[in-house]
Amino acid sequence: MAGKLEYQGDDITVDPARATDLLAAIMHAAGCDETTAQAVAEHLTDASLCGVASHGLVRAMQYVEQFETRYMNAAGRPVLQQNAFGAWEVHGNGGIGIPAMHMGLDYCMIEARDRGIAAIAVKHCGHTGRLGAYAEKGADHGFLTICVGGGGRHNWRQVAPYGGARGLLPTNPYAFGIPGGKDGPVMIDFATGSIAAGWIYAAKSAGALLPEGALVDAQGNPSREPQAYFEGGAILPFGGPKGYGLGLMAEMIGEAMLGPSTTECNWFIICVDTGRWREPPALQAAAEEILAEVRACPPAKGFERVEVPGERERRQRAENLERGITMPLATWQQIEALAARLGVEVS
């Protein structure tokens, strides 16, 4: 589980193609059309391949639960539209957010290629999966890509503000991607809480403990038990006042600027055509010079090497495509049980 959780149970290695097929069947049985079901399954499988278990296969169970409670609309499909002020938005129609984010990013890249810079809002949709996937995609196409989500605090009071004792803000994430050197884009993706809520769900599913300093219980006492979060606890902001400030800024963008959020939160995507400032080969050469110097930094005690953000995910994706996705057996059994309940054949 990417080292974030303390887990003592048995593991299983799952073939990525098998995982994708099973998740696509689950999403389709839960009410998604085949295109949406396949897109969601591929996104979740890729997150697990990249080592981001919190936004990987385990999320299938959350999505089905949200379809069944009508928090999300399984049949909702995104549409591109202009608002009353002339800005372009993707309206997710209450559906899952993965297709909506891809639609928004694709439009933003087209406009940025034409104009140099573009922005779009993505609204009225559910969970969007691994945010870094969109930043990476934009950077792969030559864009400085910025994604930020916020505005959902009325439904998601998860993170205590710095100095506060109660959950108030969502985990309001950011992702940045930019074309990099020979090994691909530089990409960062982080929640403004000390841990993404997905890791708490993953820990609960697997019977694992959370890292120190991530959570307090309903009485404000430090806790490593994921159940404490579901019983009124709160996530702490990462980096103290810095994470709190970033989370609050995302909330201002998501609600004060973009308007009231429904379903999950509001998203803002910015794409900048880096080719307007530098030819791609020159940018790549300069980037590689920077990154090579960073990689050459002597590692601190307890570390094997200095890594560049985004390269670990790509390396793990390549390795896991060959050897399979290793995950807690208990979590995979829960996914298979969900498939059986929905009438999906489990091979």
Side-chain angles (χ1 to χ4, degrees):
M1 281 213 169
K4 287 199 175 186
L5 308 179
E6 184 177 315
Y7 173 66
Q8 302 295 332
D10 294 328
D11 284 329
I12 186 174
T13 300
V14 181
D15 176 69
R18 179 189 176 201
T20 301
D21 289 346
L22 183 59
L23 262 61
I26 288 172
M27 291 297 112
H28 187 47
C32 296
D33 62 45
E34 290 186 2
T35 301
T36 299
Q38 187 66 28
V40 172
E42 290 176 358
H43 185 104
L44 297 186
T45 300
D46 185 67
S48 285
L49 285 168
C50 291
V52 188
S54 61
H55 288 64
L57 304 180
V58 69
R59 287 282 182 169
M61 295 184 287
Q62 176 193 343
Y63 294 168
V64 171
E65 179 184 358
Q66 291 179 343
F67 293 149
E68 292 177 342
T69 61
R70 300 182 183 269
Y71 174 82
M72 282 199 300
N73 174 17
R77 293 296 303 272
V79 295
L80 184 66
Q81 61 187 30
Q82 269 186 303
N83 67 18
F85 304 99
W88 285 93
E89 300 178 345
V90 173
H91 192 301
N93 285 306
I96 199 161
I98 291 168
M101 287 292 283
H102 279 294
M103 177 179 285
L105 177 63
D106 289 345
Y107 172 83
C108 208
M109 289 193 294
I110 291 170
E111 288 296 298
R113 191 71 77 199
D114 182 50
R115 305 171 186 274
I117 185 170
I120 192 168
V122 179
K123 305 168 70 174
H124 312 300
C125 61
H127 195 260
T128 55
R130 182 175 76 95
L131 193 59
Y134 312 111
E136 183 179 30
K137 178 180 176 181
D140 273 333
H141 286 80
F143 297 97
L144 165 63
T145 306
I146 303 169
C147 307
V148 56
R153 75 186 193 286
H154 300 293
N155 292 326
W156 296 97
R157 298 191 181 275
Q158 300 165 290
V159 182
Y162 182 67
R166 180 169 56 89
L168 181 64
L169 295 171
T171 56
N172 289 351
Y174 288 75
F176 297 80
I178 189 169
K182 60 182 178 60
D183 292 329
V186 176
M187 184 275 295
I188 59 174
D189 170 8
F190 59 90
T192 51
S194 60
I195 194 168
W199 283 113
I200 302 177
Y201 284 94
K204 182 180 179 183
S205 170
L209 293 177
L210 296 167
E212 297 280 359
L215 196 70
V216 292
D217 63 20
Q219 289 72 46
N221 301 312
S223 177
R224 299 184 63 196
E225 295 288 344
Q227 189 60 30
Y229 169 76
F230 298 100
E231 294 176 353
I235 301 168
L236 295 172
F238 90 83
K242 294 180 181 179
Y244 161 57
L246 284 167
L248 183 59
M249 182 62 70
E251 197 69 7
M252 295 296 290
I253 293 169
E255 182 175 343
M257 186 175 86
L258 298 183
S261 65
T262 60
T263 313
E264 194 88 359
C265 68
N266 291 331
W267 298 89
F268 195 55
I269 302 174
I270 303 170
C271 286
V272 180
D273 183 359
T274 58
R276 300 294 181 108
W277 277 266
R278 206 165 194 181
E279 290 287 342
L283 189 156
Q284 183 181 46
E288 185 55 35
E289 182 179 347
I290 295 168
L291 300 176
E293 185 174 347
V294 170
R295 294 188 200 100
C297 180
K301 186 176 181 180
F303 291 84
E304 294 182 2
R305 61 183 178 273
V306 174
E307 295 185 289
V308 172
E311 291 182 357
R312 178 192 297 181
E313 288 86 346
R314 288 190 292 276
R315 184 177 68 251
Q316 290 190 345
R317 179 192 286 134
E319 292 172 353
N320 290 333
L321 277 170
E322 292 290 329
R323 67 189 180 200
I325 298 168
T326 300
M327 62 185 298
L329 175 61
T331 300
W332 181 249
Q333 288 174 334
Q334 290 167 33
I335 293 172
E336 289 187 321
L338 171 63
R341 179 171 71 80
L342 293 173
V344 173
E345 182 177 348
V346 178
S347 59

